[in-house]
Amino acid sequence: MREPFKFKVPATCAHLGPGFGVLGVAIDTALTIEVEETSSSGLEVIRRGEMSHAPEDPRHDAILRALTAAQEKYEIKLPAGLRITADNEIPASTVLGTNSACSAPGFGIAARYAHPVPPPPHPPAPPVPPPAPTPP
């Protein structure tokens, strides 16, 4: 099993001045995702905050749609049991990148499992002694 991991996806505003949809900023409000492998089988999603009313059907949940799309497209093997906790502080329907913020974690989770767990680092090799001086 891998160690649990956590990341944040900030709210965004990309409607600034004449750069409508071009110039954007991250806002100090975020969707926090925690992922951990479980001993049970299946995918468990715990939704908090603004996500507490999100649809349970994976076809309508942006995180699970993105996770499934990435998993299928890139043939990523997910663990048998996975718990995703999504705590969303981004208010819905506010044009603060809610849909993007909810899709990004699905792709991020898939990317995390796309590569095998790296082996622990090897201890450094002992230094090589300098060559002995040659006699004159």
Side-chain angles (χ1 to χ4, degrees):
M1 279 196 196
R2 291 181 186 227
E3 290 292 318
F5 58 94
K6 179 178 178 176
F7 56 93
K8 289 186 175 194
V9 180
T12 58
C13 181
H15 307 302
L16 302 173
F20 185 79
V22 176
L23 181 62
V25 294
I27 298 172
D28 194 25
T29 298
L31 165 60
T32 303
I33 298 290
E34 296 179 50
V35 181
E36 66 180 307
E37 295 180 23
T38 63
S39 56
S40 61
S41 64
L43 181 63
E44 177 186 4
V45 181
I46 300 168
R47 296 168 178 85
R48 297 185 182 135
E50 291 288 325
M51 296 206 67
S52 60
H53 62 280
E56 295 288 331
D57 186 338
R59 296 172 301 167
H60 302 291
D61 181 283
I63 295 172
L64 297 180
R65 262 195 339 255
L67 177 59
T68 303
Q71 177 188 12
E72 291 173 359
K73 179 166 178 68
Y74 299 107
E75 299 176 354
I76 297 168
K77 184 170 176 18
L78 294 176
L82 197 63
R83 178 181 301 122
I84 301 170
T85 303
D87 188 1
N88 193 2
E89 300 172 348
I90 306 170
S93 304
T94 56
V95 195
L96 293 177
T98 311
N99 196 35
S100 299
C102 290
S103 296
F107 293 116
I109 294 166
R112 196 67 175 278
Y113 286 101
H115 301 288
V117 176
H122 297 288
V128 178
T134 55

